[in-house]
Amino acid sequence: MDGGASRSLNRRTLLVGAAGALAAAGLSAPVRAAAHRALVAASSGPRFDPALARQLQRALHDALRDPSIHAPGAILHVRSAKLGAWTGVAGLGRVAPDVPMRPNDRFRAGSIVKPFVSATVLQLAERGRLSLDAKLPDVLPASVIGRFPTAPDVTVRMLLSHRSGIPEWDLPAIDEQIARDPLKVWTVSEFLDLAAAQPPAFAPGTNYKYCNTEYNLLSLIIEGLTGGSWRKAVTRGVITPLGLRHTTLPAPGNASIKGAHAHAYGELDGRTVDQTRVDPSIAGAAGGGALVTTVQDLTRFLDALLKGRLFRHRDTLRQMLTFAPAPDVGGQVGYGLGVEQRIFPGNVEMIGHLGTAAGYNAYVARLPAQHVTIASAINWAEDPSPLLLPAVHALATTHR
């Protein structure tokens, strides 16, 4: 889900900023001071290039000064076999009382849950539990597919790649409702009813349009095949095998984030409000508050995924990373099976996923040509370009 914030935020607002000199922002004095008191954590392994670390830390500082950024804090993590690992933070993880952002702070990662869900579906396909080219009547009950007139022509593969034409439920009015009632426990049936009230976006398989409803349907497919919750299946198939110790999929009704975490902030009725406590059911398997994680766990996940560690067969990863044209904002040029392909300024390819939840924005991506993985998080649901563009530029130019 790329909505659910107090101020409606959709994919058209993400990663659209231009690179260049970033002007000083009108942040409050405590936030500016905290930005200068940034913390840096380096792990064991190759010694991270101090000059590159300074560039990345400057990107963090400058992002919080950018006039377009409202977030009080930011985290940036870089991981590479050649470079080693580095984590930098700036600003505040919590406001009033002021608490600095910490390198291992947890946050809600929004739609980054989609590649977790996709990997789980692909694992089921490898085990012969379903075919990616199965039509929805073969994998979902009539009570579900009866809501959508085009369902008989929609395949599982189309759901994974946002090419089904199934309508979207996440509309501005729903974002407003979520902002005003963040502890409401949502059901998949509610999402499907909201989507069914909209017309199909296009005939199945004829176009691309990012749609959260598709991943809600995928969660029902997982549950029908496994006999348990989609959260349990993803935990068993992805989170536990990869040792992602700081990553969880909290159950509906559990609005708290366990352990050290960054607080989430947004605007409601002209006031800045703390949006940390939202129900994990918001958006379900499409994102929202479902996935709680850290930048370190996100890079571990993506590196393992792209190495094929979650699959039995190399061809499964090949299918996942077969990018069909999917032009969208923020330099997106392709979408595979739960994975985005973007081209950043300087023709830098990025393979990963963006996620926005109430009060958070997160991004994780691999730079294939540079053999580097990057993850970021800010505690306001807004465009992360002022942080990501200079950080990616620094990484790309270092590896020329």
Side-chain angles (χ1 to χ4, degrees):
M1 176 186 181
D2 288 321
S6 60
R7 178 180 292 174
S8 177
L9 182 87
N10 61 35
R11 293 176 65 78
R12 292 176 177 80
T13 67
L14 300 174
L15 289 167
V16 295
L22 302 178
L27 296 175
S28 65
V31 174
R32 287 199 302 269
H36 287 285
R37 295 194 301 270
L39 301 174
V40 177
S43 69
S44 60
R47 182 173 182 266
F48 201 87
D49 180 358
L52 177 57
R54 287 193 293 272
Q55 291 183 67
L56 296 173
Q57 193 65 56
R58 176 52 55 188
L60 279 162
H61 288 318
D62 289 349
L64 293 188
R65 294 188 180 99
D66 187 276
S68 69
I69 290 291
H70 301 84
I75 313 175
L76 184 67
H77 179 66
V78 172
R79 173 177 161 131
S80 161
K82 180 179 179 181
L83 289 175
W86 176 93
T87 308
V89 299
L92 300 176
R94 183 177 184 180
V95 177
D98 291 354
V99 178
M101 188 73 84
R102 294 158 294 195
N104 297 311
D105 272 346
R106 292 177 173 91
F107 50 86
R108 301 186 195 276
S111 285
I112 294 177
V113 79
K114 287 185 171 74
F116 285 71
V117 172
S118 176
T120 303
V121 172
L122 292 170
Q123 289 171 341
L124 290 169
E126 282 192 326
R127 290 158 173 76
R129 303 294 299 277
L130 82 163
S131 165
L132 296 184
D133 296 313
K135 301 291 181 65
L136 294 196
D138 298 327
V139 291
L140 287 170
S143 60
V144 172
I145 63 171
R147 292 171 162 96
F148 305 105
T150 60
D153 297 317
V154 172
T155 67
V156 174
R157 191 185 302 273
M158 291 176 194
L159 295 181
L160 290 166
S161 59
H162 296 303
R163 296 180 182 279
S164 73
I166 293 288
E168 175 64 81
W169 62 263
D170 182 24
L171 303 174
I174 304 304
D175 292 344
E176 179 75 12
Q177 182 180 351
I178 290 169
R180 295 189 179 281
D181 188 9
L183 298 182
K184 170 181 165 58
V185 177
W186 292 79
T187 66
V188 174
S189 184
E190 287 178 286
F191 300 141
L192 299 185
D193 286 342
L194 289 166
Q198 309 299 320
F202 46 80
T206 63
N207 207 336
Y208 165 88
K209 186 175 182 181
Y210 190 89
C211 175
N212 291 300
T213 315
E214 292 162 315
Y215 276 72
N216 299 131
L217 291 170
L218 288 166
S219 74
L220 295 180
I221 293 173
I222 292 171
E223 292 179 346
L225 293 174
T226 65
S229 74
W230 69 269
R231 291 174 176 84
K232 182 177 180 181
V234 172
T235 300
R236 183 175 61 244
V238 178
I239 295 173
T240 299
L242 296 184
L244 306 181
R245 296 185 297 108
H246 304 292
T247 298
T248 59
L249 294 166
N254 183 4
S256 298
I257 299 179
K258 293 182 179 179
H261 60 276
H263 280 238
Y265 296 94
E267 185 178 300
L268 183 64
D269 298 331
R271 297 181 301 109
T272 296
V273 296
D274 189 319
Q275 298 183 319
T276 309
R277 284 180 54 80
V278 299
D279 195 83
S281 65
I282 293 172
L291 179 69
V292 174
T293 188
T294 64
V295 287
Q296 294 84 5
D297 270 8
L298 286 180
T299 60
R300 290 187 193 103
F301 161 72
L302 189 63
D303 282 349
L305 177 71
L306 298 182
K307 289 176 182 176
R309 286 182 51 198
L310 290 172
F311 306 127
R312 296 176 175 179
H313 309 298
R314 183 171 298 181
D315 186 63
T316 303
L317 181 62
R318 182 195 63 78
Q319 292 188 67
M320 189 180 208
L321 300 181
T322 298
F323 296 106
D328 209 335
V329 295
Q332 182 176 300
V333 296
Y335 202 95
L337 304 183
V339 183
E340 299 169 342
Q341 179 189 42
R342 297 179 184 272
I343 302 297
F344 273 42
N347 201 36
V348 181
E349 184 184 21
M350 308 284 286
I351 305 299
H353 216 286
L354 182 74
T356 303
Y360 298 104
N361 177 279
Y363 185 58
V364 62
R366 179 76 174 172
L367 288 68
Q370 290 76 23
H371 307 290
V372 175
T373 307
I374 185 172
S376 68
I378 57 177
N379 50 352
W380 194 289
E382 60 188 345
D383 179 7
S385 299
L387 171 59
L388 288 175
L389 293 180
V392 170
H393 176 73
L395 291 169
T397 54
T398 297
H399 282 262
R400 280 179 179 170

